[in-house]
Amino acid sequence: MKYTIFGESHGPAIGVVLEGVPAGLELNAEEIQRQLDRRAPGKSELSTARKESDLVHIISGFFEGKTTGAPLTMVIQNSDQHSGDYESIRYTPRPGHADYAGFMASKGALDYRGGGHFSGRLTAPLVAAGAVARQVLAQQGVWVGAHISAIYGILDRTMETPEELRPLVDKPFPVLDEGKGEEMRQAILEAKENGDSVGGSIECVVAGLPAGFGAPDFGRNVEGIFSQYLFAVPAVKSVSFGAGVGFAYMLGTEANDPFVVEGGKVVTKTNNAGGVNGGITNGMPVVFEVTLRPTPSIALPQESVDLRTGEELEIEIKGRHDPCIVPRAVPVIEAAAALAACEVLGI
């Protein structure tokens, strides 16, 4: 399946066209909406005050409860835009945003309102596409789960088994250790009070992928496929699989995953490789962690330039922004992972 996201943050609507959806899938539209509700803004003091219902409308590729095999198009209306908040930064790019890069790429024709097509608002249709992918994967016995692994240096406890992540899908702040979760919340609120923001990490698991899918080659490497989908999520700045950067602190005897047989199936005692060897799935859960930067839009003064005159100046950003995007990004990362898993399986 291939997806194309369309729309802008302050345009009339955003949406996604998903091609290659298998025909005859009994698509659960309520489950798609449930995933969108997990990401929706304006639900707590930890997120932006922008309120969007994020109701999804399927307008093609779906008939009498089943997918038709035609492109599946889903649309979400925008209803709570404050476009006037952005007029002052039309020619003064915000540090950390795609304003300047987008201005240059569009030859000055960028829709600057709320970040336009570069906005995190565009992750809503990504979640909708991922919700379809999750239903396709469920038929293959594959599921996706994630938790907040860190915020501003505060670490959630280490995941012991992937099954621990299943109940977190219903939690607005999905962590394994509630005590650490409360510390994270306080760090977010403190940053918000100071007009600042914080970043963090999300650990995600794709369980049930059979061994033998992928290749070491460019374009078919499992880690490469996942990374391509994950880096399409705004604010993601790093991706690591299994032990990740921890390999730099290990001996080979610690890093290697010993093979054993359980229930007639070859598995590994540990999963430092994150379910991938040589770019190919090894049958263990694919485990990765993404790191997301702090929200670039902060209330404190920042340095910029006027693109018309080249003058250096100071700007103050108006608008409504998340002091930390990590909690709302959990279903987004899961969605990207589900779409990547479909490509790995050739769906």
Side-chain angles (χ1 to χ4, degrees):
M1 297 189 295
K2 299 293 183 182
Y3 73 87
T4 301
I5 289 175
F6 60 86
E8 289 80 30
S9 177
H10 286 224
I14 54 178
V16 61
V17 178
L18 190 59
E19 298 183 80
V21 181
L25 175 67
E26 293 184 0
L27 196 61
N28 186 335
E30 291 181 359
E31 178 58 23
I32 297 175
Q33 188 61 57
R34 187 168 81 96
Q35 292 297 330
L36 281 164
D37 291 344
R38 293 175 64 203
R39 193 219 70 96
K43 290 190 171 183
S44 81
E45 59 184 345
L46 300 179
S47 71
T48 172
R50 179 172 179 173
K51 293 186 181 297
E52 296 282 359
S53 61
D54 280 355
L55 293 178
V56 64
H57 302 279
I58 304 175
I59 62 173
S60 73
F62 186 60
F63 183 66
E64 295 183 340
K66 295 182 179 180
T67 55
T68 65
L72 186 73
T73 304
M74 295 178 281
V75 175
I76 300 165
Q77 300 296 320
N78 286 330
S79 61
D80 188 23
Q81 310 99 311
H82 289 184
S83 299
D85 290 341
Y86 297 91
E87 183 61 35
S88 62
I89 53 92
R90 182 169 192 161
Y91 298 107
T92 51
R94 299 165 296 174
H97 278 279
D99 296 350
Y100 176 67
F103 183 89
M104 298 300 291
S106 68
K107 304 186 187 308
L110 179 71
D111 181 347
Y112 59 90
R113 302 168 303 168
H117 190 68
F118 298 95
S119 171
R121 176 87 184 119
L122 276 295
T123 60
L126 174 60
V127 169
V132 175
R134 292 168 85 118
Q135 294 184 45
V136 175
L137 291 173
Q139 297 184 333
Q140 309 294 322
V142 179
W143 63 273
V144 183
H147 72 113
I148 300 169
S149 53
I151 285 180
Y152 195 48
I154 302 165
L155 307 181
D156 193 14
R157 75 166 172 82
T158 302
M159 177 185 66
E160 296 179 5
T161 68
E163 290 296 324
E164 290 183 284
L165 302 184
R166 284 187 183 270
L168 301 187
V169 70
D170 296 316
K171 296 178 64 175
F173 200 90
V175 291
L176 298 169
D177 185 323
E178 286 296 339
K180 291 296 183 181
E182 184 56 33
E183 290 182 40
M184 294 177 188
R185 292 186 190 92
Q186 292 306 313
I188 296 172
L189 291 174
E190 184 177 346
K192 180 181 179 180
E193 181 68 23
N194 294 331
D196 218 326
S197 62
V198 292
S201 300
I202 295 169
E203 184 180 42
C204 185
V205 172
V206 181
L209 287 174
F213 284 83
D217 311 325
F218 175 81
R220 297 189 297 160
N221 181 290
V222 169
E223 290 150 321
I225 290 171
F226 271 88
S227 295
Q228 187 171 14
Y229 281 83
L230 294 165
F231 278 118
V233 178
V236 169
K237 300 304 290 184
S238 76
V239 177
S240 62
F241 290 82
V245 296
F247 281 120
Y249 305 93
M250 292 182 177
L251 296 169
T253 48
E254 299 170 310
N256 292 342
D257 300 312
F259 289 105
V260 295
V261 176
E262 291 182 0
K265 179 182 177 182
V266 176
V267 297
T268 58
K269 281 187 174 182
T270 55
N271 192 21
N272 291 320
V276 184
N277 292 120
I280 302 170
T281 57
N282 64 18
M284 296 299 288
V286 172
V287 181
F288 61 86
E289 185 175 55
V290 299
T291 300
L292 298 94
R293 59 164 299 141
T295 313
S297 290
I298 56 178
L300 300 173
Q302 299 183 80
E303 296 177 38
S304 185
V305 297
D306 189 318
L307 298 178
R308 297 164 296 185
T309 65
E311 175 191 3
E312 296 180 359
L313 44 73
E314 189 175 81
I315 63 170
E316 293 189 20
I317 300 172
K318 298 179 182 179
R320 300 161 296 172
H321 311 284
D322 294 82
C324 180
I325 61 174
V326 176
R328 291 177 57 218
V330 171
V332 180
I333 296 303
E334 291 175 356
L339 288 161
C342 284
E343 180 166 334
V344 168
L345 293 175
I347 299 173

